[in-house]
Amino acid sequence: FMADPDYLFTLRPGASLRRHVVAPDGSTRIIRDRVSPQGLREDVIPPKPVGEFRILLIGDSFSLSGVTTREDTISGQLQRLLAVRYPTRKIRVINLGVSGTGPWQQRGRLNQIGFALQPDAVIHQMYLANDIGNTLTAAGQHLDACIPDWEYSMELWRLQRYRRFRAEYRLQVHSRTYGALRAMIGREAIVDFLCTGVPLLATLTPPVRPKSAPRPDQIEVDLAEWYANLDRGWNILIEDVSGTARDCAQRNMRYVAFNIPAYPALSDAEWAAQTVPRAGRTRYERGKAERLTLEALTRRGIDVFTFFDALHAAGDPDQIYYKSLGHLAPKGNRIVAEQIANHVDRAGWIEAQP
């Protein structure tokens, strides 16, 4: 990754991607790939030829899918499905995903590099379990139940524009010795500590690792009763997604949005384990965030669809999800790609093109 002055971070052109994956059957593999000079997990995308129908998939790590081969990503499987369904058409599906991003960053990336690729349609993958919290990141806030290390890293990205914080981040990422020194003296940020005595550098507030409420962060958005910051983050998200849809409409491009459910929401056993009633336990409403989001977007005339039932009916969720990695396995990506292809069929996207 590299810092982005407007959207915190993005993929670094030419960077290597490497991920160690343990499959449900216990087998292991190393996923390797490289970011193109255009900043995509793709080969270099050429100028659009006459007659080609182009689809951009925007989203987070579920779109990027660093835990599968490029062929097994949602975009890779969708490309093959559409080629079979429309054998006389030239179709290209382009993966614009970036791990860890929310809708506000995805809209920015679409405007920065996506529209220049001349898409005919944009498919927006949401992951509401993270997206509402990622939306608050833009304002330097977070949900009550969160991943403290993640929120701390977002603050580091936010401060990358300042030299002292760039130095701190690089040392934390690349130096084991520096990590051991931090642990020994009991300080999160040594570079920042050394700079606090310098008047011109001491005006910045150093990042602090927040505390999380003692409940599961992955289902925070499905709380039966939302608190102010959760409601605020959701409302901003609706505006961000609506803005993306408007950006596409202004360019006469098709647009549709969908959500990928978190593993605990998809697995009956995991949902029961994380929401088991006990004294003082907070109540949850399974699928609440997705239901409210799709309803709100539909009221605004934005095309959306859900495939929770398709994933839920597909059998063992551990064959659909890499539970330990929190991402869809190739089978899960295939189900998602099939549901998207079905939507493309119903909406007449490709048949309507000359």
Side-chain angles (χ1 to χ4, degrees), residues 256-303:
V256 67
F258 68 90
N259 175 58
I260 292 180
Y263 177 85
L266 190 63
S267 167
D268 294 338
E270 190 71 17
W271 181 263
Q274 293 200 15
T275 61
V276 59
R278 62 179 68 136
R281 186 72 178 223
T282 305
R283 294 186 303 110
Y284 293 91
E285 181 184 327
R286 193 172 185 177
K288 175 181 177 178
E290 176 171 308
R291 175 179 58 80
L292 292 179
T293 300
L294 299 188
E295 289 175 354
L297 295 175
T298 299
R299 286 194 298 270
R300 295 183 176 211
I302 297 171
D303 202 8

Side-chain angles (χ1 to χ4, degrees), residues 31-109:
I31 304 296
R32 292 184 175 88
D33 210 336
R34 184 170 290 278
V35 179
S36 76
Q38 294 167 306
L40 308 171
R41 191 188 179 190
E42 296 275 0
D43 295 331
V44 173
I45 306 298
K48 184 179 177 180
V50 175
E52 181 179 270
F53 189 90
R54 280 194 174 178
I55 298 174
L56 293 187
L57 177 65
I58 64 174
D60 60 10
S61 52
F62 283 88
S63 291
L64 184 71
S65 196
V67 300
T68 70
T69 64
R70 192 184 296 186
E71 294 72 25
D72 282 335
T73 62
I74 295 172
S75 56
Q77 300 204 51
L78 179 60
Q79 171 95 42
R80 294 196 299 275
L81 283 170
L82 294 178
V84 171
R85 297 189 186 193
Y86 302 94
T88 63
R89 295 300 307 270
K90 297 177 183 177
I91 301 170
R92 182 186 289 268
V93 182
I94 301 172
N95 185 348
L96 212 69
V98 178
S99 298
T101 57
W104 65 284
Q105 295 156 300
Q106 293 149 17
R107 182 186 183 188
R109 182 167 166 81

